[in-house]
């Protein structure tokens, strides 16, 4: 059996994290990596101890669910909480980051953004990433990656 690439490995981790999402509108996962090692992961969900969208419904203001913390932010905040530096790291996200997450990624010193799916890709996000010298690349998750185990009859 051939090993999967690093990109597919980390993107698969982000998709796995997205399965923990508690938002009904979109499930997103993010994995922060440095030196080919996972240093944090996050998914979009409610503030710890607060109501979840899956229990109380989404709290939508101006077309956005404000109940959830985005996956990218949860991963970055996990690093901050436990004192793990994010400078020069990479982030793998299931969907293109929103503007707020884009700015947080830049401020965290993350140098590369890999995303699997286009989602409301804002031109200003591209502009900000470009100004900051951050590489952005679409890395779709290959269908076979999450189906590597042989089928058992």
């Amino acid at each position: 059996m051939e090993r999967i690439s690093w990109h597919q490995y980390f993107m698969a981790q982000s998709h796995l994290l997205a399965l923990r999402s508690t938002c009904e509108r979109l499930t997103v996962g993010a994995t922060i990596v440095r030196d080919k090692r996972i240093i944090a992961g996050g998914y979009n969900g409610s503030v710890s101890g607060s109501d979840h969208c899956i229990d109380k419904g989404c709290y939508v203001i101006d077309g956005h669910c404000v109940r959830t913390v985005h996956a990218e932010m949860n991963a970055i905040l996990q690093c901050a909480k436990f004192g793990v530096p994010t400078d020069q790291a990479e982030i793998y996200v299931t969907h293109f980051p929103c503007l707020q997450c884009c700015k947080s990624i830049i401020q965290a010193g993350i140098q590369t953004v890999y995303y699997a799916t286009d989602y409301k890709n804002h031109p200003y996000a591209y502009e900000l990433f470009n100004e900051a010298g951050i590489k952005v690349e679409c890395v779709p998750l290959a269908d076979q990656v999450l189906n590597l185990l042989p089928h058992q009859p």
Side-chain angles (χ1 to χ4, degrees):
M1 180 170 83
E2 187 177 327
R3 295 171 66 186
I4 63 172
S5 71
W6 286 112
H7 285 317
Q8 291 298 300
Y9 174 73
F10 296 128
M11 195 57 77
Q13 177 68 32
S14 294
H15 280 80
L16 186 61
L17 283 160
L19 296 175
R20 290 283 306 156
S21 173
T22 61
C23 187
E24 296 177 319
R25 299 183 65 185
L26 185 68
T27 58
V28 180
T31 305
I32 300 178
V33 175
R34 191 177 48 249
D35 300 323
K36 298 210 181 339
R37 300 290 181 263
I38 296 171
I39 61 173
Y43 54 86
N44 58 327
S46 298
V47 173
S48 297
S50 188
D51 292 329
H52 294 281
C53 298
I54 57 174
D55 298 324
K56 299 284 184 170
C58 291
Y59 186 179
V60 179
I61 298 176
D62 295 330
H64 300 281
C65 179
V66 297
R67 191 181 300 280
T68 61
V69 179
H70 289 190
E72 301 93 326
M73 284 302 304
N74 268 327
I76 290 168
L77 291 169
Q78 184 181 44
C79 287
K81 184 175 183 177
F82 294 106
V84 178
T86 53
D87 197 42
Q88 302 300 309
E90 303 170 319
I91 191 167
Y92 287 79
V93 190
T94 57
H95 296 76
F96 188 84
C98 73
L99 281 173
Q100 294 306 317
C101 288
C102 163
K103 293 185 276 186
S104 296
I105 289 166
I106 293 167
Q107 291 301 95
I110 293 171
Q111 290 299 298
T112 308
V113 175
Y114 298 106
Y115 69 97
T117 305
D118 290 318
Y119 183 74
K120 300 182 181 180
N121 302 29
H122 200 286
Y124 188 50
Y126 284 111
E127 184 179 330
L128 289 172
F129 282 141
N130 188 49
E131 285 176 3
I134 294 176
K135 177 184 170 186
V136 177
E137 183 180 333
C138 183
V139 177
L141 182 66
D143 290 339
Q144 74 276 11
V145 168
L146 295 179
N147 193 20
L148 290 176
L149 297 176
H151 178 67
Q152 300 294 323

